[in-house]
Amino acid sequence: MHETKYIFVTGGVSSSLGKGIIAASLAKLLQARGHRVTIQKLDPYINVDPGTLNPYEHGECYVTDDGAETDLDLGHYERFLNVPTSQANNVTTGKIYQSVIEKERRGEFLGKTVQVVPHITNEIKERIQILGKSGDYDIVITEIGGTVGDIESLPYIEAVRQMKWELGDENSMVIHLTLVPYLAAAGELKTKPTQHSVKTLMESGLKADVLVCRTEHELNDDLRKKLALFCNVRKEAVIQSIDASTIYKVPNLMLQERLDRVVLETFGLPVEEKVDLTAWNNFVTRHQNPQHQVTIGLVGKYVELQDSYKSILEAFIHAGAENEVKVKVDSIHSEFLKPEEAQKKLGHLDAILVAPGFGERGIEGKIEAVRFARENKIPFLGICLGMQMAVIEYARNVVGLKNAISQEQNPEAAHQVINLMKEQKDITNMGGTMRLGAWACQLEKGSKVYDAYKEVDIKERHRHRYEYNSEYKEQLEAAGLKTTGVNPKTGLVEIVEIADHPWFVGVQYHPEYKSTVLKPHPLFVAFVKAALDNNQTKK
Ligand code: GLN
């Protein structure tokens, strides 16, 4: 077996150029050529993980099977590759320092001064190689967050420099993602920012092997030559990444630009003609040629920032393609959803999804959206906090438990139909202490969820502290809110449904994290189908 190859993806000129999508697209192509690939994200911030970050700061917090709270780019990696990621796929400066400091306290560096070089850089190098050494992958792509030249990225760039020296050019390479801006006044694409960012990289001793240039206009031959000459790369290694209408087109764009070939050639690996993207392309075709359209309301409090609900929006794309439907998502701000406006704001929707969330802001609007969906028989999916709101709404308006609420929003309330698990009661640390990662769930045959999954035993990912309070189970069930999924070990209620409703499902877990291009999530597929049925009967 040949050694694991390492590809480092750095970014220059500007943030938000889409390093994650380029990394995922390259990985997809390498996978389609038969290589076993994984992608890792290194984040230079000091939070140990993004679990404690507000979505406005950093978008959605993605969760892996093994319970890591991670950067949303890991979601792209899984959606593109259909291979699960884990704790090892996301490393932050916080994690690196935490581990080095713990080692120092244990006496592992006894007698030595602990420094950024070599201790922090060694720790970074170890974390990069964990995936490679597992033996599970031929190629590890490591995406370095931030932009070269940032103070906080320096130890990462130095670690990469050392690794390149140690592994050699045949086993490691750097892909630098940059921006080639178009100046309308001059009518020209400009290469100078790219030249400067490559120069910044070189000041740290790192040479870019491949340049991927984000651009709004085609790069002509002269421009490619110029970039190659001034940035010290082969001309074929200047790759254009032109704006695409959907991220799912990027792998094919990179294939046309021969990014995968350039990478394999650089490593001295054979480049065969065969690239199997059949299933991927079937999806793209279905996604781009919908037969119908449905409008689904996404009720949440972070709707101003699309990235806050990234996995949900992507799951709609996968499920839409599966149903040959374009899912138009209408964002509805739960904070401003008043009962008297419900008809105006929600009346046109084919289905309603109440989103996950934390805290008190926007709660009543979410409950209102549940009521509207329940009473008007509009297909409804409640995720995590959305499921909790469905239980609260039912308790209040059907069972008649006035002011029923979750302990999270009112710890003094008389009817806390959602409350803390025993295990959560004494927890004082906020970071990494929720019920996280994949948990088993057993489905009730004959339920909507069973119809969707077509199996009894499922595993889904969680990220929450509060739970359905089983003291109210009898009352809620008697009134018609059925439990159709429980945790087989603990008996915790994971799914509720209203039998007497076209499609009303609340799930304590996050199905969106597991939806991929090749495996659209069954619950999203069923939900979009219910939205389509509703849309068609209205006609
Ligand atoms: N805030 C709720 C809890 O902690 C729900 C969390 C979520 O929606 N992810 O239980």
Side-chain angles (χ1 to χ4, degrees):
M1 202 194 80
H2 58 75
E3 262 183 88
T4 307
K5 312 282 184 193
Y6 291 88
I7 301 175
F8 301 100
V9 181
T10 57
V13 182
S14 159
S15 57
S16 304
L17 292 181
K19 280 198 294 279
I21 300 298
I22 292 296
S25 300
L26 171 61
K28 185 77 221 169
L29 295 178
L30 295 171
Q31 187 191 53
R33 286 180 178 281
H35 299 282
R36 298 171 308 158
V37 194
T38 188
I39 319 176
Q40 175 188 47
K41 173 94 190 264
L42 305 183
D43 275 312
Y45 52 70
I46 297 171
N47 301 65
V48 171
D49 61 46
T52 51
L53 288 174
N54 185 317
Y56 289 131
E57 289 274 322
H58 206 63
E60 163 192 280
C61 173
Y62 187 75
V63 178
T64 60
D65 276 338
D66 66 350
E69 295 179 276
T70 76
D71 186 82
L72 58 77
D73 271 341
L74 271 78
H76 290 308
Y77 308 161
E78 290 204 12
R79 288 188 281 273
F80 274 53
L81 298 182
N82 203 35
V83 174
T85 54
S86 69
Q87 297 275 359
N89 292 74
N90 194 192
V91 176
T92 66
T93 295
K95 272 203 181 100
I96 298 282
Y97 272 80
Q98 191 180 45
S99 150
V100 170
I101 291 169
E102 278 167 9
K103 284 181 185 165
E104 186 273 339
R105 291 290 83 184
R106 286 199 300 271
E108 288 185 27
F109 311 115
L110 226 47
K112 293 273 178 244
T113 309
V114 181
Q115 294 176 299
V116 173
V117 183
H119 301 97
I120 295 297
T121 45
N122 282 350
E123 183 74 27
I124 294 172
K125 280 157 58 182
E126 264 173 45
R127 300 283 181 136
I128 292 173
Q129 288 173 96
I130 286 178
L131 289 162
K133 286 183 176 157
S134 71
D136 294 337
Y137 306 103
D138 308 316
I139 301 173
V140 176
I141 302 181
T142 299
E143 175 193 345
I144 298 170
T147 309
V148 292
D150 294 350
I151 293 176
E152 48 190 21
S153 305
L154 285 173
Y156 292 95
I157 300 292
E158 169 59 14
V160 172
R161 186 196 67 74
Q162 292 183 18
M163 275 189 73
K164 274 206 81 177
W165 186 85
E166 286 159 1
L167 295 168
D169 286 347
E170 64 283 12
N171 291 317
S172 59
M173 65 183 292
V174 171
I175 297 181
H176 190 57
L177 179 64
T178 120
L179 176 71
V180 177
Y182 179 75
L183 286 194
E188 260 184 88
L189 285 164
K190 290 295 183 188
T191 64
K192 194 73 85 188
T194 299
Q195 295 181 42
H196 280 293
S197 97
V198 168
K199 199 170 138 197
T200 307
L201 203 55
M202 286 212 258
E203 279 165 10
S204 306
L206 212 54
K207 180 187 166 302
D209 298 293
V210 176
L211 276 186
V212 176
C213 307
R214 284 300 308 274
T215 174
E216 290 171 17
H217 299 271
E218 298 276 340
L219 304 183
N220 65 28
D221 211 47
D222 284 347
L223 207 103
R224 288 180 193 243
K225 258 188 219 144
K226 186 173 169 187
L227 280 164
L229 176 65
F230 291 129
C231 299
N232 214 9
V233 298
R234 291 189 296 140
K235 189 175 152 252
E236 312 77 74
V238 176
I239 306 289
Q240 156 187 299
S241 169
I242 202 150
D243 288 357
S245 55
T246 148
I247 54 170
Y248 296 108
K249 275 190 172 173
V250 180
N252 277 302
L253 290 176
M254 291 302 106
L255 183 68
Q256 282 161 23
E257 286 285 310
R258 303 160 80 89
L259 173 61
D260 53 332
R261 278 175 177 268
V262 171
V263 165
L264 293 173
E265 280 163 13
T266 308
F267 284 146
L269 290 173
V271 186
E272 279 140 29
E273 281 314 310
K274 203 171 160 299
V275 186
D276 187 4
L277 281 174
T278 321
W280 181 273
N281 288 337
N282 284 342
F283 157 78
V284 177
T285 309
R286 277 198 310 276
H287 171 45
Q288 300 221 284
N289 299 287
Q291 305 297 312
H292 306 277
Q293 175 167 317
V294 296
T295 308
I296 299 186
L298 171 62
V299 184
K301 66 171 171 176
Y302 305 114
V303 289
E304 302 92 332
L305 186 76
Q306 288 284 303
D307 272 0
S308 310
Y309 301 113
K310 195 76 199 161
S311 294
I312 292 176
L313 298 176
E314 299 303 319
F316 275 139
I317 291 178
H318 309 152
E322 186 72 11
N323 282 292
E324 298 190 84
V325 171
K326 176 174 166 48
V327 179
K328 182 172 167 287
V329 177
D330 267 11
S331 297
I332 290 142
H333 206 308
S334 55
E335 212 182 339
F336 310 116
L337 184 61
K338 302 279 174 284
E340 58 280 10
E341 296 168 334
Q343 179 58 39
K344 195 174 106 216
K345 289 190 172 168
L346 310 174
H348 65 292
L349 299 169
D350 296 314
I352 294 176
L353 186 148
V354 175
F358 292 85
E360 216 183 336
R361 187 169 66 91
I363 285 298
E364 292 302 323
K366 286 189 169 173
I367 296 173
E368 197 43 39
V370 178
R371 182 194 60 79
F372 192 82
R374 180 179 58 78
E375 290 183 351
N376 295 289
K377 306 245 185 256
I378 299 170
F380 167 85
L381 178 59
I383 298 183
C384 207
L385 186 73
M387 173 267 202
Q388 298 176 353
M389 293 304 116
V391 174
I392 292 170
E393 195 278 330
Y394 214 84
R396 282 187 189 177
N397 300 332
V398 182
V399 180
L401 300 172
K402 229 172 135 233
N403 300 327
I405 193 72
S406 161
Q407 188 177 2
E408 182 180 14
Q409 282 88 39
N410 182 1
E412 311 300 328
H415 294 297
Q416 299 176 20
V417 291
I418 305 291
N419 67 355
L420 277 185
M421 297 182 277
K422 271 202 280 340
E423 294 78 8
Q424 286 284 340
K425 286 203 170 113
D426 300 323
I427 287 176
T428 47
N429 265 355
M430 295 299 277
T433 54
M434 284 187 260
R435 175 146 83 106
L436 290 167
W439 291 76
C441 176
Q442 231 162 42
L443 307 185
E444 183 88 14
K445 284 201 172 150
S447 60
K448 295 271 178 349
V449 279
Y450 180 79
D451 285 351
Y453 286 89
K454 300 191 173 52
E455 53 191 346
V456 171
D457 292 302
I458 60 161
K459 262 196 172 159
E460 291 283 4
R461 299 182 193 170
H462 291 244
R463 180 174 185 249
H464 56 103
R465 246 178 248 291
Y466 297 85
E467 303 281 351
Y468 179 114
N469 179 352
S470 47
E471 280 177 29
Y472 291 90
K473 191 168 165 200
E474 241 182 71
Q475 263 177 298
L476 285 161
E477 291 232 318
L481 188 69
K482 301 291 179 204
T483 298
T484 57
V486 292
N487 180 306
K489 271 219 185 92
T490 59
L492 282 171
V493 172
E494 311 282 38
I495 308 175
V496 293
E497 281 185 30
I498 300 175
D500 178 25
H501 187 286
W503 209 93
F504 187 104
V505 175
V507 289
Q508 184 58 79
Y509 53 82
H510 291 259
E512 70 275 20
Y513 293 144
K514 277 178 72 171
S515 189
T516 72
V517 163
L518 296 191
K519 266 182 130 179
H521 196 285
L523 210 51
F524 273 87
V525 174
F527 180 50
V528 169
K529 171 80 172 55
L532 178 63
D533 291 346
N534 182 29
N535 173 284
Q536 301 291 302
T537 43
K538 279 194 280 190
K539 277 185 179 162

